[in-house]
Amino acid sequence: MQTPEEPSNATHVLAAAFPSRLADDVRDVLAVMPTAELSPARSFTVEVRGEEVAIPSRIYNEEPGADPQRSLTPTQQVILHCLYTRHSDGRVRQRHLERIVACDEPWVVPFVMQLAGEYVLEILEAIAGGLPGLSIPGSAARRLYGEFIVRNPAFFALTEQRAVSYWSCYYRWRYGEFGMYPGSALLEAFRAAAREQVG
């Protein structure tokens, strides 16, 4: 059972989702986020360019208003959108994903990739639509995601397993084979990106 969060603990948990060099920016983002009644859900750990980050599975903070968001720098806005891709409401996750999916910062990649293993079709379609370069050999997006997968093979394997499980549970009636499911093509593009990185 989750408990009301201690502000200092929640701040530490959310700050750990980003490389340490972004600590000041993360602090400024957290200052505009409304306090949540529930603590962030357990985190998953990945490596981003040699540094370990721990990203919460879910957050429960309401979205900040437009005025506080406008006070943030472009980098801080990306951090905010990354955090809200972890929101408990799928519509909120999708809305914020669409703002960052094309971003070329390595620390954004795990926030996008984790959503490829979730169950909301519109989110899968947003990822595929926002990463058209993923299917192009040698593209920047392909290198970015391929490098991340090579560094985090267990995370990618778990993402694939979740995608298959959600397809089987919720979409098998609609897509008789996993290969027909939108998440399948997306995962294959990620696998191809990783293969290209390892030669």
Side-chain angles (χ1 to χ4, degrees):
M1 180 174 177
Q2 292 179 314
T3 57
E5 66 181 36
E6 292 292 329
S8 61
N9 184 52
T11 298
H12 174 74
V13 169
L14 298 179
F18 299 93
S20 57
R21 67 181 176 80
L22 296 174
D24 290 341
D25 289 311
V26 174
R27 187 192 64 242
D28 291 345
V29 170
L30 298 180
V32 306
M33 290 173 60
T35 302
E37 292 184 15
L38 297 175
S39 298
R42 62 180 176 75
S43 298
F44 59 91
T45 303
V46 293
E47 180 191 333
V48 175
R49 297 275 169 97
E51 185 173 354
E52 193 173 272
V53 297
I55 298 172
S57 297
R58 287 286 178 266
I59 66 168
Y60 302 92
N61 308 64
E62 294 297 323
E63 295 172 278
D67 285 342
Q69 288 188 50
R70 278 195 286 271
S71 72
L72 300 175
T73 68
T75 295
Q76 291 167 356
Q77 289 178 19
V78 173
I79 291 169
L80 178 89
H81 294 308
C82 284
L83 287 172
Y84 280 94
T85 66
R86 310 311 318 131
H87 197 271
S88 58
D89 183 323
R91 292 180 195 89
V92 174
R93 292 197 300 276
Q94 180 183 349
R95 187 163 55 247
H96 289 275
L97 164 71
E98 290 170 349
R99 302 292 299 273
I100 62 163
V101 66
C103 183
D104 61 359
E105 288 287 356
W107 47 268
V108 171
V109 172
F111 291 92
V112 174
M113 182 164 288
Q114 202 279 339
L115 290 169
E118 293 195 6
Y119 59 89
V120 182
L121 280 179
E122 293 81 1
I123 286 178
L124 298 176
E125 291 164 354
I127 296 171
L131 290 174
L134 191 61
S135 60
I136 301 171
S139 71
R142 197 163 170 129
R143 286 192 304 274
L144 187 66
Y145 281 83
E147 176 189 321
F148 176 79
I149 294 166
V150 168
R151 289 176 179 262
N152 297 278
F155 172 74
F156 182 65
L158 182 59
T159 300
E160 289 185 298
Q161 291 164 13
R162 286 185 172 144
V164 172
S165 293
Y166 283 127
W167 161 76
S168 181
C169 185
Y170 297 114
Y171 297 109
R172 187 187 289 264
W173 63 271
R174 184 169 170 186
Y175 304 100
E177 298 177 6
F178 182 68
M180 300 165 60
Y181 176 60
S184 175
L186 182 58
L187 291 168
E188 179 50 43
F190 285 137
R191 279 192 297 273
R195 285 194 298 268
E196 187 172 291
Q197 283 299 302
V198 297

